[in-house]
Amino acid sequence: MTGERLQPQRLLHRRIVVKVGSNVLTGGEDGLHTPTIAAIATQVADLVRRGAQVALVTSGAVAAGRHRLREIEALRDDASKLAPRDVQSRQVAAAVGQARLMALWDALFAEAGVAVGQALLTRRDLADRLGYLNARNTLLAMLDLGVVPVINENDVVSVEELQDARIGDNDNLSAQVANLVDADLLLLLTDIAGLYSADPRRDPEARLIERVERIDDVVEAAAAGGAGTRGTGGMTTKVQAARIATGSGTHVVIADGRSRDIVLRTAAGEPVGTHFLPAGDRIESRRRYLLSGLQARGRVIVDAGAAGALLRGGNSLLPAGVLRCEGTFQRGDVVQVVTAEGRHLASGTANYASDEVARIAGKQSGQIVDLLGYEFGEEVIHRNNLVLV
Ligand code: GLU
């Protein structure tokens, strides 16, 4: 349906988060609309085969669950039991629907020879230092392997999403995921061509805003215009997501998920939908975060061999090169990496707490389990979580 016709274009964006909204997944109807979902899966698989790293944020669990529960209801007399629309019944629907949603994505990607992995996240998980680090490490490891993370909010535990669309919704979640994995592009697929100056369903003068250099009042007012019906997000949450993601240097595109080859065209840099330009440099914002002295909770002192390996770039810090550490820090805290002479070489997020680093310093990674009784990986700081000064 997609890849064959397109010339293998140069990919402008390599690490991409694609968020698919409920209205796209259901095709505006009741249950999941397989042809639309298949078209998206085929395009994402095509990108992965061409070397891109893609994470999907998928809504549709509640919609799929409601559909399934109605099917069952039709066979029973106690229909009223499944009908209420309170938060708990939405959570039940999400639990039922998530399984079906995931099974569908898995089957469609399997046809294209690509593996997927499910990640159910809550905002609380990501606000928590350890949750953030674990989610980041796992998602980056999946992307490295060419596995497509299929992400949704963990609706069974996150009541706030279902009660208050403005706080936790998949638009905002996708922006957090884009930050988490340092995405180049966040593509928000919806059932409208992009952000319009007014609601195009009501105002014939409404025009598509193709490019947003800066999110200002005008853009926000335009976003307040319209909202989808089946998911929780309208344009307001999409613009909120765009603000978060562009702020850390990610391109954001809002486009119609039903348009032909939309994922491939966007990844190739074709102008589609509404393009929000990054407000800052992506690497720079992570650098700033990691290097800011305020963040650092401690120091890890390394020997000359480790210093050389770090300075050559692309290397993780292993316990073998650690002489000792200073300060009290927890796993997930930012620490400075310094030489024995006190030269600040790099900063990064520690995989081990200071008391653990003290016990594994100078040892081979293979000994970590013996020394601690467990391990969080063979690195004291993984290269993905490390920046050179
Ligand atoms: N997590 C919800 C679901 O899977 C959707 C939330 C949203 O669309 O923003 O149904």
Side-chain angles (χ1 to χ4, degrees):
M1 180 175 309
T2 51
E4 301 84 57
R5 277 190 347 278
L6 276 186
Q7 291 304 313
Q9 292 146 303
R10 198 173 66 85
L11 294 177
L12 189 68
H13 303 289
R14 183 160 175 275
R15 189 174 287 169
I16 305 170
V17 175
V18 180
K19 184 260 171 176
V20 195
S22 293
N23 283 345
V24 177
L25 292 160
T26 58
E29 287 170 14
D30 231 8
L32 298 173
H33 190 250
T34 308
T36 312
I37 303 177
I40 294 170
T42 312
Q43 294 175 72
V44 170
D46 190 21
L47 288 179
V48 170
R49 276 195 303 268
R50 282 155 59 186
Q53 300 187 329
V54 189
L56 266 180
V57 175
T58 179
S59 301
V62 172
R66 284 207 185 292
H67 181 70
R68 178 66 184 141
L69 291 171
R70 266 194 297 271
E71 279 176 355
I72 306 234
E73 220 170 55
L75 305 172
R76 302 188 346 189
D77 315 326
D78 57 348
S80 59
K81 241 188 175 167
L82 300 169
R85 296 213 151 223
D86 56 89
V87 169
Q88 195 169 49
S89 81
R90 291 196 54 143
Q91 289 180 300
V92 170
V96 171
Q98 179 62 30
R100 303 207 129 205
L101 181 65
M102 194 61 211
L104 183 57
W105 282 118
D106 184 52
L108 293 169
F109 274 100
E111 269 174 43
V114 170
V116 297
Q118 174 176 267
L120 297 179
L121 301 173
T122 63
R123 280 179 312 119
R124 219 180 319 146
D125 296 333
L126 300 183
D128 170 69
R129 182 172 39 77
L130 276 189
Y132 179 93
L133 182 69
N134 287 331
R136 174 173 161 83
N137 287 349
T138 310
L139 293 180
L140 289 179
M142 285 165 97
L143 293 173
D144 269 349
L145 288 172
V147 172
V148 174
V150 178
I151 302 162
N152 196 356
E153 181 112 17
N154 190 353
D155 291 325
V156 171
V157 296
S158 40
V159 184
E160 61 269 46
E161 171 187 10
L162 300 163
Q163 277 176 336
D164 186 348
R166 284 162 305 133
I167 305 177
D169 56 85
N170 276 4
D171 291 325
N172 276 290
L173 178 68
S174 66
Q176 290 179 345
V177 169
N179 281 359
L180 196 66
V181 300
D182 304 322
D184 303 316
L185 167 72
L186 167 62
L187 172 57
L188 300 168
L189 293 179
T190 181
D191 60 351
I192 184 166
L195 177 65
Y196 282 81
S197 55
D199 184 350
R201 283 163 290 208
R202 279 176 228 139
D203 186 345
E205 303 278 282
R207 54 169 192 87
L208 181 70
I209 303 172
E210 287 173 8
R211 203 175 147 92
V212 175
E213 309 217 346
R214 201 167 55 84
I215 298 172
D216 56 15
D217 297 349
V218 179
V219 171
E220 282 186 337
T229 45
R230 278 181 179 70
T232 53
M235 277 297 158
T236 309
T237 51
K238 288 184 180 52
V239 170
Q240 277 171 8
R243 187 189 283 286
I244 297 171
T246 54
S248 27
T250 300
H251 289 265
V252 177
V253 171
I254 301 177
D256 189 334
R258 302 159 307 173
S259 317
R260 201 179 190 105
D261 292 331
I262 190 70
V263 180
L264 296 173
R265 283 157 53 206
T266 317
E270 211 179 283
V272 292
T274 302
H275 181 182
F276 296 79
L277 297 175
D281 181 273
R282 186 165 51 83
I283 311 287
E284 256 320 300
S285 74
R286 176 158 286 275
R287 273 180 71 82
R288 269 198 308 277
Y289 171 76
L290 287 176
L291 291 178
S292 112
L294 290 176
Q295 296 287 346
R297 293 288 171 92
R299 308 206 308 167
V300 177
I301 292 88
V302 299
D303 66 17
L310 292 179
L311 291 174
R312 277 195 297 281
N315 290 305
S316 298
L317 175 64
L318 302 178
V322 175
L323 297 170
R324 59 193 159 82
C325 61
E326 290 172 2
T328 304
F329 54 86
Q330 303 301 319
R331 168 171 155 75
D333 279 343
V334 175
V335 295
Q336 295 187 339
V337 181
V338 297
T339 62
E341 294 75 38
R343 177 171 165 219
H344 180 196
L345 298 173
S347 287
T349 319
N351 258 341
Y352 291 91
S354 46
D355 57 335
E356 295 164 333
V357 175
R359 281 149 68 196
I360 60 177
K363 303 292 196 302
Q364 295 302 315
S365 299
Q367 294 173 266
I368 297 177
V369 175
D370 290 340
L371 291 163
L372 302 180
Y374 51 84
E375 68 155 309
F376 296 120
E378 57 188 33
E379 312 84 8
V380 171
I381 304 176
H382 191 276
R383 63 185 152 81
N384 284 335
N385 303 322
L386 187 92
V387 296
L388 293 177
V389 174

